[in-house]
Amino acid sequence: MIGAEPVALDGEESPTSIFEQLGKAFIELEANSGASENMVLLKEIEEYFDNLERWLNKGFNDLEEKEKAFVEKKSEIRALVAEREAAVAAKEQALVDRVQELKDTAVAAIMETREKSGKHAVAVDFHVAAKEQALVDRVRELKDTAAVAIMEARDKSGKHTVAVDFQPRRELTRFCRQMDAKGLLNYIMEKRKNIVAIREEIPVALKSATEPARLVLDSLEGFYPPDQTTNGNKRDAASLLCMRKSCVMLMESVAPLLVGADDPLNPETKQQAKAIADKWKPRLDVDAANGNSSLEAEAFLQLLATFRITSEFDEEELCELVLAVAHRWQAPDLCRSLGLTHKMPVVVEKLINSRREIDAVHFVQAFKLTENFPPVPLLKAYLKDLRRNLLRKLRNAREAVGVQDDANAQELAALKDVIRCVEAHKLQADYPLDPLQKRVAQLEKSKSNKKKRMGEVLVKHQQPKRARANGGRHHGPWVPVDLQLQPPPIYHDRWSLHGSCREEVSSSYQPSYF
């Protein structure tokens, strides 16, 4: 037993000692009997709590599995709902597109029937408007052809050519010989009505200057006047715009003279050009906030290209400026001069993402990127997205006055831009223009009929003057300004046919060579 000593049987101890040892053993046994019961009770308690913990853990795991299954089911239901909503929207848009195709087909059929029957039910004023529009389109077509021919010639020759088969005006030669930058710039601005001839004569006249590069750099001093505040004066703004266009033209004209074996660009000239560029660059963002950054961006890029200081600036920033001038016909040549040809796929991608597919097509054709960016799908997507947006606008503003007219005007401008782009790049084989031209005729007829109806309303509301008793005259009812049908002025991106220096204000796309 515990604590008991071994009992000796050899007879050496007395019975009294043995009984004493047995008594001690029994006392210890009795004392330890309660501890054994406590140990048994403790084991039972531990076993109970172990079972309780296992039961709670099992219940918690079951709840976690049910929650996970619920979340998965919820995600599946949401995905299914989103998929069904997308399918419904796609079907709805497909029906809208189909309706538009049927409308175009019906209009084309009506136009063909009228042409075959020989019935012309169009008013005389519509014929006049059609003839005027035909003349405008013809002029733009000729400009397109000339621009494409120039680009093709430059691509073949790989450099700008300077005309030498005529003598420039004596004034131009005199200003260049005297290195009179201010006089040269003022003369160009005064003769802006003859800007086409001036543009051809300036490269020859610059040859008579002792330092053509420095002469052109001196002419750039007033590009950003220190007191550039027009205060709403349209004449001052037009004069500043004309002066800036003249500066750009001078930089374009001197560029061929600065290319050759005997490079006339010395480090001092390049340093002066770099200083001007550093001065211009911070102001580009300021002008961009006012929406007038196109010409300033072009001048900045032309400065870098003409004086070959492109390496001093970051290519990514230059590509962002290229996006601002992408609508100008000389933009591809400018990119080549800047050494950004390898960046053109990125530029085209950005143009497409910003819904400027027509500009993108010009770059695609200029840099032969048709394999990566097929031009015809881009043009079709441009018209398709435009019609979707116009249809959405009409749905959201059914009661607004003039919304339908604005939508028709935007569609008409977009159709003409696409037609000119297709003709300029000779894509008629892949993109037949007959449906587009018939739609243009339909929209122009609708516009002409509306003008006719408004004119009849104007005549109906006008009353003849009659004498009053007091000798005065009565002029009839007041007519709102909206009924006077005054067409907005049309501005062009570059020099117009008459040499005016007005900025482009059209909301739709108009490439500069149109």
Side-chain angles (χ1 to χ4, degrees):
M1 289 186 179
I2 300 175
E5 297 179 0
V7 180
L9 299 178
D10 54 2
E12 293 180 358
E13 294 185 5
S14 64
T16 303
S17 62
I18 294 174
F19 282 114
E20 289 179 356
Q21 293 178 4
L22 289 175
K24 291 180 180 179
F26 277 110
I27 292 172
E28 291 179 0
L29 179 62
E30 186 178 2
N32 292 328
S33 62
S36 301
E37 293 177 358
N38 291 335
M39 290 296 295
V40 173
L41 181 59
L42 180 60
K43 289 181 179 180
E44 291 178 355
I45 293 174
E46 288 180 352
E47 184 178 356
Y48 172 77
F49 278 104
D50 288 341
N51 294 334
L52 180 61
E53 183 179 5
R54 285 194 295 270
W55 180 80
L56 291 175
N57 289 335
K58 183 176 181 301
F60 182 74
N61 293 333
D62 293 340
L63 288 177
E64 281 189 337
E65 291 179 358
K66 290 181 180 180
E67 182 181 7
K68 184 178 179 181
F70 175 77
V71 172
E72 292 178 354
K73 186 66 175 178
K74 186 178 179 181
S75 300
E76 291 177 359
I77 293 175
R78 285 185 175 179
L80 181 61
V81 171
E83 183 179 354
R84 290 183 178 178
E85 288 180 352
V88 171
K91 289 182 180 179
E92 181 182 358
Q93 190 58 53
L95 290 175
V96 172
D97 296 339
R98 179 59 179 165
V99 170
Q100 184 62 42
E101 292 178 2
L102 293 176
K103 286 176 63 178
D104 294 343
T105 305
V107 171
I110 292 172
M111 297 294 291
E112 290 179 359
T113 304
R114 287 184 178 179
E115 291 176 359
K116 292 179 181 179
S117 61
K119 295 179 180 179
H120 301 280
V122 184
V124 176
D125 58 346
F126 172 71
H127 288 292
V128 174
K131 290 181 179 179
E132 292 178 353
Q133 187 61 43
L135 290 175
V136 174
D137 293 341
R138 179 57 179 168
V139 171
R140 289 176 175 174
E141 181 182 355
L142 293 175
K143 295 180 73 176
D144 292 346
T145 305
V148 173
I150 292 173
M151 288 189 289
E152 291 178 353
R154 288 177 176 177
D155 291 339
K156 293 179 180 179
S157 62
K159 60 181 180 179
H160 300 278
T161 57
V162 180
V164 294
D165 54 344
F166 59 89
Q167 284 295 114
R169 304 163 195 259
R170 288 180 295 178
E171 294 84 352
L172 288 176
T173 304
R174 177 167 57 84
F175 288 128
C176 292
R177 286 178 179 174
Q178 296 176 356
M179 296 290 291
D180 187 355
K182 185 176 181 180
L184 177 63
L185 196 60
N186 291 334
Y187 181 79
I188 294 174
M189 295 172 61
E190 291 174 0
K191 301 297 181 180
R192 58 182 177 271
K193 292 185 178 180
N194 301 324
I195 195 60
V196 176
I198 293 291
R199 182 185 293 275
E200 298 295 331
E201 297 175 11
I202 286 179
V204 182
L206 286 173
K207 284 186 172 183
S208 59
T210 55
E211 296 182 66
R214 186 169 65 84
L215 176 63
V216 174
L217 286 176
D218 293 342
S219 69
L220 303 179
E221 290 182 359
F223 193 90
Y224 283 106
D227 56 344
Q228 186 181 342
T229 55
T230 58
N231 296 325
N233 192 327
K234 295 183 179 180
R235 179 174 297 179
D236 292 343
S239 177
L240 178 62
L241 178 64
C242 188
M243 183 269 293
R244 288 177 171 177
K245 289 187 175 182
S246 301
C247 291
V248 174
M249 185 180 63
L250 284 174
M251 287 190 288
E252 292 174 346
S253 300
V254 79
L257 303 179
L258 304 182
V259 178
D262 50 343
D263 188 359
L265 277 177
N266 51 52
E268 291 77 9
T269 302
K270 286 190 174 184
Q271 189 63 30
Q272 183 181 356
K274 175 67 166 50
I276 295 175
D278 291 336
K279 184 180 178 181
W280 284 7
K281 188 184 176 198
R283 309 192 67 167
L284 292 175
D285 294 336
V286 175
D287 290 335
N290 297 326
N292 298 319
S293 63
S294 178
L295 182 59
E296 286 80 354
E298 181 189 4
F300 180 80
L301 294 176
Q302 187 63 56
L303 175 65
L304 304 188
T306 299
F307 296 95
R308 299 197 289 282
I309 54 176
T310 308
S311 59
E312 303 290 335
F313 298 87
D314 182 61
E315 286 186 346
E316 299 298 331
E317 296 179 358
L318 298 183
C319 289
E320 292 298 326
L321 294 178
V322 169
L323 296 177
V325 301
H327 60 285
R328 299 178 181 270
W329 66 265
Q330 68 273 28
D333 284 340
L334 189 56
C335 292
R336 292 190 185 95
S337 301
L338 292 168
L340 298 177
T341 302
H342 63 286
K343 288 286 186 179
M344 289 305 101
V346 178
V347 172
V348 172
E349 193 77 35
K350 290 183 178 181
L351 289 173
I352 296 174
N353 294 336
S354 59
R355 313 313 304 166
R356 297 171 59 184
E357 286 87 350
I358 295 182
D359 293 339
V361 169
H362 291 309
F363 275 76
V364 166
Q365 294 295 115
F367 293 95
K368 297 178 174 57
L369 301 173
T370 54
E371 293 185 0
N372 297 331
F373 306 97
V376 173
L378 290 177
L379 296 176
K380 290 183 177 180
Y382 169 72
L383 290 179
K384 189 174 183 179
D385 292 341
L386 175 73
R387 286 170 174 170
R388 287 182 179 179
N389 294 334
L390 293 179
L391 182 60
R392 189 180 302 111
K393 185 185 297 184
L394 291 174
R395 288 177 177 174
N396 297 335
R398 294 179 179 177
E399 302 297 331
V401 179
V403 175
Q404 182 66 56
D405 296 338
D406 293 340
N408 291 344
Q410 292 183 35
E411 184 182 2
L412 181 61
L415 287 170
K416 290 183 177 180
D417 289 339
V418 171
I419 290 174
R420 287 194 292 268
C421 182
V422 171
E423 292 176 344
H425 298 293
K426 298 178 176 62
L427 302 174
Q428 293 91 330
D430 298 325
Y431 198 175
L433 297 179
D434 188 62
L436 301 183
Q437 292 171 343
K438 290 179 179 179
R439 177 61 176 165
V440 167
Q442 179 193 12
L443 292 173
E444 288 181 340
K445 181 181 177 181
S446 175
K447 180 180 178 181
S448 177
N449 290 341
K450 183 174 179 61
K451 286 185 177 180
K452 181 180 178 181
R453 289 194 300 269
M454 295 181 67
E456 291 174 355
V457 172
L458 180 63
V459 174
K460 182 178 180 180
H461 284 77
Q462 285 180 342
Q463 297 180 3
K465 298 178 182 180
R466 60 178 182 272
R468 292 184 177 178
N470 58 0
R473 300 189 68 85
H474 179 68
H475 298 281
W478 174 78
V479 180
V481 179
D482 295 340
L483 297 179
Q484 296 178 9
L485 300 177
Q486 298 178 357
I490 299 177
Y491 301 98
H492 294 282
D493 186 20
R494 299 285 296 171
W495 302 92
S496 68
L497 294 176
H498 300 290
S500 61
C501 295
R502 295 174 292 187
E503 190 65 274
E504 175 187 3
V505 298
S506 176
S507 60
S508 61
Y509 169 87
Q510 281 193 347
S512 58
Y513 54 82
F514 290 157

